[in-house]
Amino acid sequence: MRNCEDFPAPPEGEVSLCEINGRMQCTNPDFATVSTFTTAVDKHPKVHITRDLLHHPNLGDEGRALFLPTDVPFLKQLTQVYAEQGLKEVLQTATLHQHVLISQSAHLLLRLWRYLRKARLILNPSLEYHTCELIDELSQTRNWANNTIKCIAWHLHNSRLAIATCDDSVRIYCNDSNFVPLLRCKQQRNVTCLAWRPMSLTEIAVGHETGVIIWHVDFNSLVTRPSVSNSIMLHRVEHRPVMSLAWSPQGNLLVSAAALDSNILVWDVELNKTSILKGSRDSGNVLLKWSPAKDKLLSVSNGIVFRIWDCQHWENERWTVPSGRVQAACWTSCGTSLLFATNTEPVIYGLNIKNDHVFTSNATSIDHAVPLFDLSKIDLGGISVGGVVQAMEADPKGNHLAVFFKDTNCVAVFSVIKSPLLQLIPSSLITGLAAEVPSTMVFQHNFKPGACLSIAWSSGRLQHFPIIYTDLTNNFNAIAN
């Protein structure tokens, strides 16, 4: 895209930027300048995660080669293998034992293990993936396996930004401080999602391959790397990998979804107790979204099913898509409409869920959903835009929707018109620097001048894209005078 004329002017009362090849241009230059926007975000964290900032993993097998072998008792050897590699490797190690009874028993158990796995693969084909491959396939982060930044999350009430990186660390940046806490421990592997706890300034949940870690960060301390003793470990054997987290509005309960677990778990964090949402028996779950009104919860499976839960009685309504699965979804600010896109169609759908909606247990097709915008791939001045959606986010005020795609390198921003009919109007396009593609994005929750979209690019650069709300009436009067 060479200029901003390809997209219409923003709606009345809104001024935004269009970034082309790293340069910002104003979509309504009569009333604002680029300096207006840069001033709005000049105190935001300046983040560029390069490879030299990352913590390299342990040497593992390469490190062992530096030491001479020693005679280790067999039971101790099995214990070490179990701790490092799991039960399957224990059985394989036992098959090499000199005692015939032990080796034959291990062979028998290993065959039984394989038969059980084949049976589970028939029931849940996604188990065929290795963990990292499965996360990469289901994550809303584009190219999750290879990108530097895995996920980002703004605090609900202040300007603290959490960033998870490929070294399984979580860094927390603040507008008013150079102090950057680093959250990291050996249990925290393959981070997939982040969620700040409501009603708390210091607690954040980190979803990873084998569970959830709740970190407590003391921002008055001078210790940049909090101890793991300041965390709560939440773990269930079958609940993995955790793909999405959602806190209850009061912050007393945490809901988690895992790709290989048919159950959606509700955690009482302090007691480390769980309950299961009844009726969530899908092959696995990948996305959770609480509605802004806090009365409904969206859960998305890794198949054709997604569910909308009534949070008062915890009844759910089962919806299905014709093929594929729901890739991305978000609520409008009023909480009565759901926007979503599948991984097979370049279309954004809208689904109206009224506050007096009666929940039924019958399966419902998305024939009731309305196609809001066709995102078929097009060429704008040599830049490809559109295609199948990778991720979408709605700003907290409900005026904008940001979308990026699986196969093209732009972020598209839409204005959301909620009445009389739900509509999406193209507003801005954002492109990165040369060879950059968007990895993940999130809107800031407490950006008072309007909306601020934070975008993590594949280079490790974080960009803040502001959309400023202005009173155009005063500007017109000033020009007239």
Side-chain angles (χ1 to χ4, degrees), residues 267-286:
W267 301 83
D268 185 325
V269 172
E270 276 68 32
L271 298 179
N272 197 358
K273 292 184 178 180
T274 60
S275 56
I276 298 172
L277 289 186
K278 296 180 179 179
S280 62
R281 294 282 181 175
D282 300 308
S283 57
N285 298 280
V286 297

Side-chain angles (χ1 to χ4, degrees), residues 3-265:
N3 52 58
C4 293
E5 283 76 10
D6 297 304
F7 267 48
E12 182 177 355
E14 172 193 321
V15 181
S16 62
L17 288 181
C18 187
E19 179 168 351
I20 293 109
N21 296 329
R23 297 181 60 188
M24 287 187 174
Q25 300 181 22
C26 183
T27 59
N28 199 336
D30 292 333
F31 304 112
T33 63
V34 171
S35 62
T36 304
F37 299 92
T38 55
T39 301
V41 295
D42 60 356
K43 293 184 179 180
H44 281 49
K46 308 298 188 295
V47 180
H48 191 175
I49 306 293
T50 56
R51 292 288 173 177
D52 58 325
L53 296 177
L54 301 176
H55 291 76
H56 297 288
N58 295 328
L59 292 176
D61 294 335
E62 295 179 3
R64 294 190 188 95
L66 300 175
F67 299 91
L68 295 175
T70 58
D71 292 329
V72 178
F74 182 65
L75 185 58
K76 185 177 181 180
Q77 182 182 355
L78 292 183
T79 304
Q80 292 175 347
V81 171
Y82 177 76
E84 296 176 2
Q85 302 180 53
L87 181 59
K88 183 179 178 182
E89 293 298 326
V90 168
L91 295 177
Q92 290 179 340
T93 302
T95 59
L96 304 176
H97 196 272
Q98 295 179 351
H99 197 289
V100 176
L101 181 59
I102 294 177
S103 61
Q104 288 183 350
S105 299
H107 276 294
L108 180 62
L109 291 173
L110 197 56
R111 283 197 295 269
L112 180 61
W113 174 287
R114 289 167 181 163
Y115 287 134
L116 291 174
R117 180 169 177 79
K118 288 180 181 179
R120 293 184 66 192
L121 283 176
I122 296 174
L123 298 175
N124 189 357
S126 60
L127 288 171
E128 190 173 1
Y129 289 91
H130 294 295
T131 300
C132 289
E133 294 175 354
L134 182 64
I135 296 173
D136 190 52
E137 174 70 20
L138 300 176
S139 176
Q140 292 193 65
T141 300
R142 181 170 171 178
N143 195 14
W144 177 91
N146 299 312
N147 273 332
T148 303
I149 296 178
K150 303 293 188 182
C151 48
I152 54 180
W154 279 102
H155 196 282
L156 301 175
H157 312 298
N158 56 40
S159 298
R160 291 170 182 162
L161 178 65
I163 300 179
T165 52
C166 59
D167 61 350
D168 297 324
S169 300
V170 177
R171 295 168 172 82
I172 300 178
Y173 297 86
C174 305
N175 283 3
D176 54 355
S177 174
N178 293 324
F179 175 67
V180 181
L182 178 70
L183 311 180
R184 178 180 168 87
C185 64
K186 66 179 182 180
Q187 293 88 349
Q188 186 173 284
R189 294 180 296 177
N190 295 324
V191 176
T192 57
C193 51
L194 303 170
W196 287 94
R197 189 173 192 172
M199 310 298 180
S200 172
L201 296 176
T202 61
E203 290 179 284
I204 184 171
V206 180
H208 58 94
E209 178 182 347
T210 58
V212 182
I213 300 178
I214 314 295
W215 289 93
H216 173 78
V217 184
D218 183 1
F219 291 94
N220 296 319
S221 171
L222 297 178
V223 179
T224 58
R225 185 169 175 178
S227 169
V228 71
S229 62
N230 292 345
S231 67
I232 300 173
M233 304 281 183
L234 306 178
H235 170 73
R236 296 294 181 270
V237 175
E238 295 296 326
H239 197 67
R240 59 186 300 271
V242 174
M243 296 297 299
S244 186
L245 298 170
W247 286 98
S248 64
Q250 295 77 26
N252 57 328
L253 299 175
L254 177 65
V255 185
S256 64
L260 297 180
D261 188 4
S262 61
N263 295 316
I264 296 175
L265 300 186

